[in-house]
Amino acid sequence: MNKLKIYIGQFHTIVWVLLIGTVLSRGLAFMTLPFLSIYLSKHMDLSPIIIGLTVGMSPLMGTVGGFIGGHLSDRFGRKRVMLIALCSLAFVYYGFTIANSQGWFILLNALNGLCNSFFEPTSQALMADLTEKHNRMKAYSLRYTAINFGASVGPLFGAYLATTSAKVSFTLTGTTYLLYAFVLFFFMRKLIIPKVDPSVKKTVLIGDAFRIIKTDKALRFLILGGIIVNMGYVQMDSNLPQFLQGRLENGVVIFSILLTINAVMVVVLQMPISHFAERFKPMQAMVIGALLMAIGLFSCSFINGLGHSDHLDYIFNTGRDINFPFKQHGD
């Protein structure tokens, strides 16, 4: 018991609130968003192109928001940005329950990506602010575990709700984000976070990023390769669920199991595969990872049952762990 108290005492109370909130919010997000394409296909009768556009709006706006979020955090403070982002996420999910056209779904999912891009980096920065330097790596490791724990449990509940009442999952997720905001507000009322001195930290703007990419050829090709690889990976959230639903009788259940396997394998295989990949040059490891991902995606066209899906998901995620040995699931 004393060891447990000592371990808990290593981190600020707000850090633990953020970790618990990560488990709940990520778990519920994985209970809803991966099944959004199925919901749109089943209830809105939209074309695969429109569904892909809707699902893709979240990461697209997340990319744009990544440049804005840091600036807002420095200007208005971490607390304000985090609380506004969480409340906005709550209303985004409430909006999903009443949305009745493709335009609303596109707008809401775009706001979802934008708000997440504000909240996630700011919350990580707050964890760093409240954690002693020698414990920060441990705190981020706990956050990594929290993300994948939520990602492994959420899809199982999502499969049930996707076949019964998808709107209930949207409502639960929205309510969780709202409660998360209230709890954070309660614990952060008296917290004083020193503002960042603009002369010490320079905000990186979109123009700065493009200038760096223009002058660095290796970085330019690396980013291009990452875009191509991720175009394949995002099929897990857009085309694969529609494909499984249309081809297999229990496709929704199989899809949820694949997502759970995905999260569990990231946790289990991350360290051994990273250690194995150290034997190769970075470029060689990335090529092997990309090839394994390509084999896994290509082989999905031969899926005819749960057993085959399990094996293909193993190949796919092994390739992903080799290709992105330090990438957190869902980030």
Side-chain angles (χ1 to χ4, degrees):
M1 185 63 69
N2 288 333
K3 289 183 179 180
L4 180 61
K5 289 181 179 179
I6 294 173
Y7 185 81
I8 293 175
Q10 294 179 91
F11 305 107
H12 195 283
T13 304
I14 293 176
V15 173
W16 287 111
V17 172
L18 290 171
L19 291 172
I20 295 171
T22 298
V23 173
L24 295 176
S25 60
R26 287 302 182 96
L28 288 166
F30 273 94
M31 185 180 72
T32 52
L33 290 180
F35 299 92
L36 181 61
S37 61
I38 294 176
Y39 177 83
L40 294 175
S41 176
K42 185 176 180 181
H43 298 281
M44 300 297 296
D45 194 28
L46 300 178
S47 68
I49 295 177
I50 297 299
I51 293 174
L53 175 64
T54 304
V55 174
M57 284 305 295
S58 180
L60 175 63
M61 293 305 295
T63 302
V64 176
F67 292 97
I68 304 173
H71 174 70
L72 294 177
S73 175
D74 294 342
R75 183 172 181 180
F76 299 106
R78 307 205 195 285
K79 291 189 285 186
R80 189 175 299 178
V81 171
M82 289 171 63
L83 292 174
I84 292 175
L86 284 176
C87 291
S88 300
L89 282 167
F91 288 107
V92 163
Y93 283 95
Y94 288 143
F96 280 139
T97 64
I98 60 175
N100 55 10
S101 67
Q102 66 185 45
W104 279 112
F105 277 102
I106 292 174
L107 176 62
L108 288 169
N109 208 30
L111 289 173
N112 175 58
L114 192 64
C115 293
N116 268 307
S117 70
F118 291 169
F119 178 79
E120 293 297 336
T122 308
S123 66
Q124 292 178 57
L126 180 59
M127 288 179 66
D129 291 338
L130 300 176
T131 305
E132 295 180 6
K133 189 173 182 179
H134 65 277
N135 280 331
R136 286 176 186 171
M137 186 62 69
K138 190 182 297 183
Y140 285 123
S141 178
L142 286 172
R143 181 180 178 274
Y144 171 82
T145 303
I147 289 172
N148 286 284
F149 182 80
S152 63
V153 175
L156 299 178
F157 292 100
Y160 171 75
L161 292 174
T163 55
T164 55
S165 178
K167 291 187 176 182
V168 172
S169 65
F170 292 138
T171 304
L172 285 173
T173 306
T175 302
T176 300
Y177 274 115
L178 202 57
L179 290 173
Y180 190 7
F182 285 141
V183 172
L184 267 182
F185 173 75
F186 175 80
F187 282 98
M188 291 196 302
R189 285 178 304 167
K190 299 180 180 180
L191 181 66
I192 299 176
I193 304 173
K195 289 189 176 181
V196 178
D197 186 352
S199 63
V200 175
K201 181 178 179 181
K202 182 180 182 295
T203 301
V204 179
L205 302 176
I206 296 179
D208 298 327
F210 278 112
R211 278 191 288 273
I212 294 172
I213 293 172
K214 184 178 179 179
T215 58
D216 194 326
K217 184 177 179 180
L219 178 62
R220 189 161 62 246
F221 280 105
L222 179 64
I223 291 174
L224 179 61
I227 291 173
I228 295 173
V229 169
N230 277 287
M231 285 175 64
Y233 178 69
V234 296
Q235 305 307 311
M236 288 283 290
D237 292 331
S238 55
N239 292 331
L240 183 61
Q242 297 179 72
F243 174 78
L244 293 175
Q245 182 193 26
R247 183 154 183 171
L248 304 177
E249 183 179 353
N250 56 344
V252 176
V253 176
I254 291 176
F255 178 59
S256 68
I257 293 174
L258 292 181
L259 290 177
T260 299
I261 293 173
N262 191 325
V264 172
M265 286 183 66
V266 169
V267 176
V268 174
L269 296 181
Q270 183 84 17
M271 291 305 296
I273 288 183
S274 296
H275 180 71
F276 173 77
E278 290 176 356
R279 303 178 184 179
F280 303 92
K281 294 179 180 179
M283 186 61 67
Q284 292 175 327
M286 292 171 66
V287 169
I288 293 172
L291 288 174
L292 288 173
M293 291 176 68
I295 293 171
L297 286 169
F298 177 76
S299 302
C300 283
S301 59
F302 302 102
I303 289 176
N304 58 15
L306 181 59
H308 289 77
S309 303
D310 284 341
H311 296 143
L312 298 179
D313 199 57
Y314 175 85
I315 295 173
F316 177 82
N317 283 289
T318 300
R320 192 184 74 131
D321 283 346
I322 293 176
N323 208 19
F324 300 109
F326 303 106
K327 181 178 176 67
Q328 295 184 2
H329 183 86
D331 279 5

